[in-house]
Amino acid sequence: MAAKPRVAFFDFTGCEGCELNQLNFENQLLDMLEHVDIVEWREAMDDRPGEYDIAFVEGSLSTPDCIKRINDIRRRAKVLVAVGACAVQGGINGMKNTRPIEEVREEVYGKDKYLFPTLPALPLSAVVKVDVNVRGCPMTQLEFLKVFTALVMGKQPVEPNSAVCVECKLKENECVYEKGMICLGPVTRGGCDAHCPSFGQYCTGCRGLVPEPNLKAMEEILVKHGLSVNEAWKRLHLYNSHELEGLKS
Amino acid sequence: MDLKFLASDRVEAFVSHLMQQKTVYAPQHTGKHSVALEKVDDPAAVILDYGRTMQSVKKFFLPPRDELLSFDLTDHSFTPAAVEPLDAILLGIHSYDRAAIDRLDYNFSQGHPEKNYLTRREGVVWVGVSFEPDEFHFSGSVGISPHETAGFDAFLTRVREGYLVEVLTDAGRELVSGFELPPAERPKPAPGHFHQHIFLPQAKLNEVMAASYNNEIWAEMAEKCVGCGSCNIVCPTCYCFNVEENVDITVTGGTRERIWDGCMLREFTEVAGGEVFRGGLAERQRHRVMRKFKYLSDKTGHPWCVGCGRCTAYCTAGISIVSIVNRCVSDFEERHTTAM
Amino acid sequence: MKLNESVSTQEPQDLYLPVMSEVLEVKRLTELETLYTVQLPGGRDLGHQPGQFVEVSVFGVGEAPFSISSSPTRQGVFELGIRRVGLLTEKLAELKPGDKVGIRGPFGHGIDLEKFKGKDVLIIAGGIGLVPMRSLINYVLDRRDEFGRLIICYGSRSDQELLFTDEIAAWQEDPDVDFHVTVDRGSPQWEGKVGVITTLIPGLDLDLDRTVCCVCGPPVMYRFVLLALKSRGLPDEAIYMSLERRMKCGVGKCGHCQINHSYVCQDGPVYHYPDLKSLEEAL
């Protein structure tokens, strides 16, 4: 049998919730370790070698140092996996992109702002080539395991990209629009098994926009249901500022 | 016709009587407004007076996730999935959903008859119930009355004090035997009126739809549609599926499953290499509607829409299939009159 | 008509179970394409027609349709010419002789050989369109006296991407085959024609009364080839076309390959051109 793939985990700007979720596997963690050698993982260990077959990267890029580090990881990784909303689409950190960067810097660091260089929060894909996305805030264990097994088998995982609505309809969830809530499900990528609507909550759009989103039609949906278009745009920006910026230009 | 009477206060006892014979699936509340067909554990939970379930009985014969086989990656062997007859009583089914099953039966028995679906279809006893058409139902326009009994073994028609019971087949007779039902004291009432209508019968729609291929309606709908695919997923006569591989975390085996798919989704026509044959929402909307009112009806003489109203009721964008078809009809008639 | 009157009376079948078959040979054709020789259990004959396809699967990876490249005249084994473009084909490229793949089929409507017999056969193949057309070419060559002339037009993006180069060399040598080839972009070593495939058509020596033509290539090619054939005066009735779609189940159920009212996996992939005119989405 060929040598086990060498796997490394890295984090950038984010809450590390996705990484915690990776450690939370309990039942499957040992099965996973059968198939791979974990060579770098700050959250779980502390020595570091040089090259990786698979690099799982969490968090968005928000400082000049991040850019240097991600380029270095990319050079050393055969497969680079973006994990979670921050790494995939910039995530919540991207909200700062909607304001002047100096203003944000001053608000956060006050008079010491010159010690902390900062950039607009970027998804990994804005700087390096990303091979696989594991979406969500946080990423789900089930999906991470699917991606993990696919990569161990040496195949490209299939990324779900139809809307959350499909999964709600399969589960016969009562549409949260009928309960008077703004739901971003119609333009948000599924693959989460409609987790939030299944528990009576609206979709916050954490998995990013569907390919070729029809945002004009989305606005009409809100108007038809007597809901605030303004509020919906704010929520869309929660996770998708970077992507929306891209759609505008 | 031997018409019997089931009083409202005896419905629960009737359901219990059915439960003694076979597993019963019937409409039950899953949310404040929503009703779904579920296995009955508590006879009191059964709802016979309802608008529509989000998913039709299709889900029992063509499950949203359906294992085809399981494989072993160590020796490349596989085991076919065990498929069992449903062997159950389906209670409280509306006539349009029974009509949808006739269409699925056709799809899965013509050409290459499919064992998975046809095996599950076995052993079903159908007990229908009449419905009061709401703002979305239009099955009358496709020839399906709220009182249509075709395909049922027994049928319940709602009256004020309870239900009139028609026993239609031997299986139906067996079902009610041992449960005392007095003869009905009055005949079956007239069915309720529909609030939605397609302007023309299917016989004429084929010609209209053939002439509507380049109608602007498709582009107009594409403006409103988000392409979420809900209309496909809730349709009782949609049967398209995709096939997926699931590998166990141990990487020693897994399953091959088919999962529901829909022609409104972008990847539906995508081939290796990236070519998408119906890339725009206008083309996809057209395909969806043509499949219901032209492509399959040209072949069989029957519309592939049963008028349940689901695609419209569950469309967040409020796109109405009745309005689309009627627009095609009126544009056709307008062209026709101006031409003369 | 009642719906249940038109259904098949055949026993329901296990439609989705593959037959595990052995890969006997793996031959690299170009950087991207590989030719696989496959044998059903016990050397059983596949029983296909040129133009038909099989569903090939690798457990844990997936299943996809591939056209059969060998002629039914060469029994016992069959060949598949496969380009590396996705998940499954990447995995297939790793196969070695002795490995197993799942096979379902053959499926679809192939070439109606009865309509081709006694006629001059014109084949227009673009890119990997040559893979299925090779089945017809070798059928004609193996049953040479049942057909008239064999005229082949083959277009490729570049000379590095030409498929079956040893067979091409043989066809070029064969006085019984009228073979033409062109490439969109030639390397410095390329001495043949440069240009799109339609540039081959005006110069063909055709007997319009006795020619049947089969076209297979990338989606963009069909309209231009049709125009070129029409301007040569070839009647529509003489034209057949093999179309690519996403044939997922192969048995007319899953809906992916549908073009208007037609299921490509049932009515196609090889269509008689007059039948395609009612399918607006086809070309």
Side-chain angles (χ1 to χ4, degrees):
Chain A
M1 192 184 153
K4 289 182 186 179
R6 282 176 306 172
V7 173
F9 295 83
F10 300 94
D11 46 59
F12 287 89
T13 311
C15 71
E16 298 186 18
C18 294
E19 270 188 285
L20 274 179
N21 243 352
Q22 286 153 8
L23 280 172
N24 251 339
F25 289 142
E26 288 153 7
N27 294 330
Q28 294 93 354
L29 198 58
L30 291 176
D31 279 329
M32 288 166 62
L33 292 174
E34 282 279 300
H35 299 288
V36 297
D37 279 328
I38 294 179
V39 294
E40 192 160 335
W41 196 351
R42 189 182 58 80
E43 193 110 352
M45 58 191 290
D46 53 21
D47 69 312
R48 50 169 44 208
E51 287 199 330
Y52 329 110
D53 292 298
I54 309 166
F56 291 100
V57 183
E58 186 201 325
S60 62
L61 310 172
S62 63
T63 67
D65 183 54
C66 292
I67 310 281
K68 249 168 54 193
R69 267 179 70 215
I70 190 66
N71 277 312
D72 181 52
I73 294 166
R74 176 70 268 189
R75 264 193 299 277
R76 292 192 282 155
K78 283 191 194 141
V79 177
L80 193 148
V81 186
V83 179
C86 295
V88 176
Q89 76 260 30
I92 290 187
N93 308 321
M95 280 199 296
K96 85 169 183 188
N97 305 2
T98 57
R99 298 170 54 195
I101 200 81
E102 279 309 310
E103 187 185 307
V104 175
R105 204 169 161 201
E106 191 152 328
E107 187 172 314
V108 176
Y109 300 110
K111 63 178 172 47
D112 295 329
K113 67 173 183 176
Y114 296 103
L115 298 172
F116 302 96
T118 186
L119 297 170
L122 297 172
L124 308 185
S125 60
V127 177
V128 295
K129 178 175 172 279
V130 171
D131 302 299
V132 183
N133 291 315
V134 182
R135 290 170 182 270
C137 181
M139 59 117 215
T140 68
Q141 298 186 4
L142 187 73
E143 196 173 356
F144 182 80
L145 288 175
K146 263 193 169 177
V147 167
F148 185 87
T149 37
L151 293 175
V152 166
M153 284 184 71
K155 70 170 190 177
Q156 172 81 18
V158 182
E159 195 178 349
N161 58 10
S162 48
V164 174
C165 293
V166 169
E167 283 152 15
C168 267
K169 298 302 179 290
L170 287 174
K171 296 175 85 175
E172 299 189 63
N173 287 338
E174 198 165 281
C175 184
V176 295
Y177 274 103
E178 300 305 318
K179 303 179 193 168
M181 294 182 196
I182 296 175
C183 178
L184 300 181
V187 289
T188 300
R189 287 172 186 257
C192 51
D193 209 19
H195 191 79
C196 299
S198 301
F199 287 93
Q201 274 307 320
Y202 53 84
C203 169
T204 57
C206 76
R207 298 176 59 84
L209 296 167
V210 292
E212 300 171 21
N214 190 349
L215 295 172
K216 223 178 122 246
M218 179 73 204
E219 283 187 357
E220 274 192 47
I221 290 175
L222 295 158
V223 172
K224 183 186 143 235
H225 287 87
L227 296 165
S228 161
V229 174
N230 221 353
E231 172 66 20
W233 272 103
K234 280 190 202 160
R235 289 199 200 166
L236 266 176
H237 275 92
L238 180 62
Y239 285 103
N240 301 301
S241 292
H242 180 80
E243 221 174 321
L244 290 167
E245 205 51 43
L247 283 176
K248 256 191 261 167
S249 55
Chain B
M1 173 57 65
D2 192 12
L3 205 56
K4 293 182 165 34
F5 178 65
L6 173 67
S8 296
D9 60 4
R10 293 192 69 220
V11 169
E12 243 182 83
F14 182 65
V15 177
S16 299
H17 177 76
L18 301 185
M19 286 168 73
Q20 280 162 23
Q21 303 171 52
K22 275 185 183 202
T23 305
V24 179
Y25 293 92
Q28 298 170 58
H29 271 303
T30 49
K32 203 164 146 204
H33 310 285
S34 44
V35 175
L37 290 163
E38 307 272 6
K39 183 167 171 285
V40 181
D41 294 317
D42 173 13
V46 173
I47 313 282
L48 290 178
D49 187 11
Y50 67 101
R52 65 180 58 68
T53 52
M54 189 179 285
Q55 292 298 343
S56 70
V57 285
K58 173 182 83 174
K59 67 178 181 181
F60 297 120
F61 311 124
L62 183 67
R65 276 199 169 274
D66 184 16
E67 183 182 317
L68 300 174
L69 57 87
S70 59
F71 50 80
D72 185 331
L73 288 172
T74 55
D75 63 0
H76 297 280
S77 64
F78 70 89
T79 315
V83 180
E84 302 289 336
L86 184 68
D87 197 26
I89 297 163
L90 294 176
L91 168 67
I93 308 302
H94 289 169
S95 53
Y96 50 79
D97 273 353
R98 184 62 191 83
I101 292 299
D102 281 342
R103 283 153 179 81
L104 293 185
D105 286 352
Y106 169 83
N107 285 123
F108 287 102
S109 358
Q110 57 87 37
H112 301 266
E114 188 203 282
K115 201 164 148 187
N116 305 48
Y117 173 91
L118 294 171
T119 302
R120 287 205 183 87
R121 266 294 272 114
E122 287 170 24
V124 176
V125 185
W126 293 90
V127 183
V129 70
S130 63
F131 64 94
E132 194 55 42
D134 67 9
E135 71 213 274
F136 299 113
H137 289 117
F138 62 99
S139 67
S141 302
V142 287
I144 304 164
S145 155
H147 286 184
E148 176 59 61
T149 60
F152 288 111
D153 297 293
F155 194 84
L156 312 175
T157 305
R158 181 147 177 84
V159 289
R160 200 179 312 142
E161 320 77 22
Y163 295 89
L164 303 180
V165 183
E166 284 169 273
V167 173
L168 300 152
T169 65
D170 287 342
R173 240 177 303 286
E174 208 174 304
L175 208 66
V176 298
S177 82
F179 189 84
E180 201 173 324
L181 289 168
E185 285 172 0
R186 54 172 175 151
K188 231 172 136 169
H193 290 290
F194 285 94
H195 312 293
Q196 291 282 332
H197 303 273
I198 291 178
F199 300 155
L200 285 177
Q202 184 63 47
K204 294 186 178 163
L205 279 182
N206 286 14
E207 191 191 349
V208 170
M209 296 316 283
S212 304
Y213 200 76
N214 296 316
N215 197 307
E216 306 90 50
I217 183 77
W218 312 119
E220 287 167 29
M221 289 304 114
E223 297 267 297
K224 292 182 74 179
C225 175
V226 288
C228 73
S230 292
C231 48
N232 290 143
I233 302 295
V234 297
C235 176
T237 66
C238 272
Y239 53 87
C240 292
F241 59 84
N242 199 2
V243 179
E244 248 184 34
E245 311 272 314
N246 293 304
V247 180
D248 301 338
I249 180 69
T250 55
V251 201
T252 52
T255 56
R256 181 169 289 175
E257 293 181 330
R258 68 163 151 193
I259 49 170
W260 289 357
D261 204 346
C263 59
M264 286 306 298
L265 302 172
R266 192 178 175 278
E267 287 78 38
F268 189 74
T269 56
E270 185 174 347
V271 293
E275 182 100 21
V276 174
F277 290 95
R278 274 187 295 276
L281 280 167
E283 292 142 278
R284 300 210 285 278
Q285 280 284 3
R286 175 170 62 201
H287 186 74
R288 171 175 83 94
V289 177
M290 289 286 182
R291 251 180 89 92
K292 301 301 167 197
F293 292 99
K294 183 175 188 327
Y295 298 155
L296 286 154
S297 47
D298 275 350
K299 209 156 140 185
T300 63
H302 293 259
W304 232 250
C305 170
V306 292
C308 67
R310 284 186 179 92
C311 58
T312 307
Y314 298 115
C315 176
T316 42
I319 294 173
S320 153
I321 196 164
V322 171
S323 307
I324 293 176
V325 175
N326 281 343
R327 165 75 177 278
C328 291
V329 171
S330 51
D331 284 359
F332 178 82
E333 286 177 340
E334 200 178 303
R335 267 201 311 276
H336 206 68
T337 11
T338 31
M340 286 197 306
Chain C
M1 181 182 70
K2 281 208 144 177
L3 268 175
N4 52 10
E5 279 168 10
S6 47
V7 305
S8 163
T9 49
Q10 268 186 65
E11 275 297 296
Q13 301 151 11
D14 272 318
L15 299 176
Y16 311 114
L17 302 182
V19 174
M20 298 316 289
S21 309
E22 192 177 335
V23 176
L24 296 183
E25 265 179 71
V26 179
K27 188 180 163 200
R28 205 70 61 205
L29 293 176
T30 68
E31 203 181 315
L32 282 181
E33 283 93 2
T34 307
L35 186 72
Y36 303 88
T37 308
V38 184
Q39 186 175 46
L40 291 176
R44 177 149 59 84
D45 197 32
L46 183 65
H48 69 286
Q49 292 284 298
Q52 281 191 301
F53 65 95
V54 287
E55 295 283 345
V56 180
S57 66
V58 174
F59 290 135
V61 184
E63 190 180 49
F66 297 99
S67 47
I68 303 155
S69 191
S70 52
S71 163
T73 47
R74 301 174 186 184
Q75 297 188 346
V77 294
F78 60 96
E79 290 167 337
L80 304 168
I82 297 176
R83 174 180 286 179
R84 222 154 25 88
V85 280
L87 274 187
L88 177 65
T89 49
E90 288 286 350
K91 273 285 154 194
L92 291 174
E94 294 168 14
L95 290 175
K96 296 178 297 296
D99 286 345
K100 292 275 167 77
V101 288
I103 299 287
R104 293 191 299 122
F107 294 127
H109 185 87
I111 287 160
D112 204 342
L113 289 165
E114 289 312 309
K115 301 259 167 64
F116 278 56
K117 283 185 181 160
K119 300 281 179 68
D120 289 353
V121 177
L122 167 62
I123 289 166
I124 306 213
I128 49 172
L130 185 63
V131 170
M133 290 300 99
R134 175 174 170 262
S135 175
L136 176 62
I137 292 168
N138 283 325
Y139 188 94
V140 173
L141 290 175
D142 288 350
R143 305 253 175 111
R144 200 66 199 85
D145 49 340
E146 293 178 25
F147 299 88
R149 292 170 55 217
L150 175 61
I151 309 147
I152 304 168
C153 295
Y154 173 38
S156 174
R157 267 188 306 211
S158 69
D159 45 323
Q160 287 91 352
E161 291 168 70
L162 288 170
L163 301 169
F164 306 110
T165 41
D166 39 354
E167 283 171 70
I168 286 178
W171 300 335
Q172 274 168 327
E173 293 292 301
D174 192 338
D176 230 7
V177 180
D178 187 3
F179 183 82
H180 306 268
V181 59
T182 180
V183 299
D184 297 352
R185 288 181 312 275
S187 71
Q189 293 80 40
W190 177 247
E191 287 171 359
K193 287 184 179 133
V194 175
V196 293
I197 192 161
T198 43
T199 57
L200 295 175
I201 296 170
L204 293 176
D205 171 20
L206 299 177
D207 181 348
L208 294 175
D209 294 333
R210 48 169 301 161
T211 300
V212 283
C213 174
C214 192
V215 186
C216 186
V220 56
M221 189 187 95
Y222 290 87
R223 282 187 208 186
F224 298 106
V225 167
L226 258 180
L227 283 174
L229 290 174
K230 283 180 180 224
S231 67
R232 286 299 312 269
L234 196 68
D236 293 351
E237 287 68 32
I239 303 172
Y240 294 80
M241 301 186 137
S242 178
L243 301 188
E244 182 196 15
R245 285 298 185 276
R246 185 175 164 200
M247 290 88 83
K248 188 77 194 171
C249 73
V251 288
K253 305 288 182 231
C254 81
H256 286 94
C257 67
Q258 203 177 0
I259 300 179
N260 301 104
H261 61 78
S262 178
Y263 277 83
V264 178
C265 73
Q266 301 299 291
D267 308 333
V270 181
Y271 286 87
H272 192 200
Y273 174 57
D275 297 334
L276 281 181
K277 289 183 195 166
S278 64
L279 303 178
E280 292 93 338
E281 293 177 338
L283 300 175

